[in-house]
Amino acid sequence: MSPVDKDSYYGQPGLFVSQGYKEVHISVAFTWDIEKANWLKEQWEMIAPVRIGGPAVDGEGDEFVPGMYLRDGITITSRGCPNRCSWCFVRRPPKELKINPGNNIIDNNLLACSRSHLDEVFMMLRSQHRIKFSGGLEAARITDKIAEGIRSLNLRQLWTAYDHIDNFKTVKKAFAILTKYFRRDQLGCFVLIGFGDDTMDEAEGRLRQILELGGLPFAMLYRDAAGAFPQPEKPWRKFQKYWVRPAYVKYKLKEL
């Protein structure tokens, strides 16, 4: 997701950083990286005045500038989500933004937007190639009409989410629709693991359910606002690493 142009840097300045910058921006996506951002600020102040901002500091804001803090092709057409799930940090109602061209949509909840906004987004996407919905499409809002609209696009991959066992029926219904139109390799699913009293056995059960439904699971390990992982941290992180590797997921697929 990070930009890769010549004016984007990661870490402290090296020996060949341009001395012509008037200002340096440090964009912080997650609250647990604020301490690192403050350290980086000290390192970059020798180059130019430094501003720290981003979702972890200023919130998500009410606009999106393509290519500024995310790589070219990524676009955000709305911010916010009405659901207020206990495991999610998004706590604002949806706000529709100006639609900027891009082939990778990362809205918090695109399908919670108005029908007119969705129509405009799909119209923009008809001129794009290898389209991805990396922000995820809420399973409860997926319908045949939505799937048919996506089918008309040059789709590479769409994602949905399976956040809690109580949502299984909704996720199952969504995959029953999506698998009529798309191949398994086009259907990714973010599976939340490690939240609350979750166990690794239960988490693996949910990951396997996505395989059985016709999708490709991707384990998302929960972290709280302070950045803490579920305990014991090391086994959970090891478990997650297996379930984000395509080769391991394909191996599990053969067991079905």
Side-chain angles (χ1 to χ4, degrees):
M1 295 291 181
S2 301
V4 293
D5 60 86
K6 65 180 180 62
D7 296 316
S8 299
Y9 301 88
Y10 306 93
Q12 56 189 323
L15 295 175
F16 304 104
V17 171
S18 171
Q19 298 296 313
Y21 294 129
K22 295 181 180 179
E23 192 169 69
V24 173
H25 292 187
I26 300 177
S27 180
V28 191
F30 302 107
T31 52
W32 49 80
D33 286 328
I34 292 176
E35 183 177 346
K36 181 180 179 181
N38 290 328
W39 178 83
L40 285 171
K41 181 177 184 291
E42 296 177 359
Q43 313 308 309
W44 280 89
E45 283 177 331
M46 66 183 72
I47 303 298
V50 177
R51 290 175 57 192
I52 297 178
V57 178
D58 306 317
E60 291 186 307
D62 291 321
E63 61 179 25
F64 171 71
V65 181
M68 179 67 79
Y69 304 114
L70 295 168
R71 69 173 58 195
D72 290 338
I74 295 172
T75 189
I76 300 173
T77 77
S78 67
R79 298 192 187 273
C81 174
N83 296 339
R84 300 181 66 84
C85 300
S86 57
W87 51 80
C88 183
F89 298 155
V90 179
R91 286 290 186 271
R92 61 182 293 182
K95 180 179 177 61
E96 297 171 0
L97 310 179
K98 175 185 175 183
I99 298 173
N100 292 287
N103 69 336
N104 192 350
I105 308 290
I106 63 168
D107 296 22
N108 299 128
N109 192 337
L110 175 64
L111 298 187
C113 294
S114 66
R115 184 70 245 182
S116 60
H117 183 82
L118 287 176
D119 289 343
E120 290 184 39
V121 171
F122 277 47
M123 185 178 299
M124 177 275 290
L125 289 173
R126 290 191 185 101
S127 65
Q128 303 293 314
H129 301 281
R130 296 177 64 78
I131 294 161
K132 294 191 289 185
F133 292 89
S134 296
L137 301 176
E138 185 183 353
R141 298 176 188 268
I142 292 173
T143 63
D144 277 288
K145 185 174 182 178
I146 292 293
E148 288 169 0
I150 297 172
R151 188 186 185 189
S152 69
L153 305 174
N154 186 337
L155 180 72
R156 179 181 178 185
Q157 192 171 47
L158 67 82
W159 292 83
T160 187
Y162 182 14
D163 295 320
H164 194 275
I165 189 64
D166 290 347
N167 298 338
F168 178 66
K169 288 184 178 180
T170 299
V171 173
K172 183 178 180 181
K173 181 179 178 182
F175 271 95
I177 295 171
L178 294 172
T179 51
K180 292 190 295 185
Y181 301 92
F182 307 108
R183 306 183 307 270
R184 183 189 294 274
D185 62 289
Q186 294 176 298
L187 299 176
C189 185
F190 299 118
V191 180
L192 181 66
I193 65 172
F195 176 74
D197 58 358
D198 196 18
T199 69
M200 277 176 268
D201 285 342
E202 292 171 342
E204 180 155 355
R206 297 194 303 278
L207 290 157
R208 286 177 175 271
Q209 283 177 323
I210 296 303
L211 287 174
E212 293 167 356
L213 292 177
L216 293 174
F218 188 95
M220 302 290 287
L221 185 57
Y222 179 77
R223 296 178 74 173
D224 63 22
F229 289 98
Q231 299 300 316
E233 178 181 331
K234 189 174 181 180
W236 271 111
R237 295 182 73 174
K238 182 179 180 180
F239 174 81
Q240 183 207 20
K241 286 180 180 179
Y242 280 113
W243 279 98
V244 298
R245 293 174 180 170
Y248 184 78
V249 173
K250 289 179 181 179
Y251 167 75
K252 288 296 183 181
L253 185 58
K254 292 178 181 179
E255 295 182 353
L256 295 182

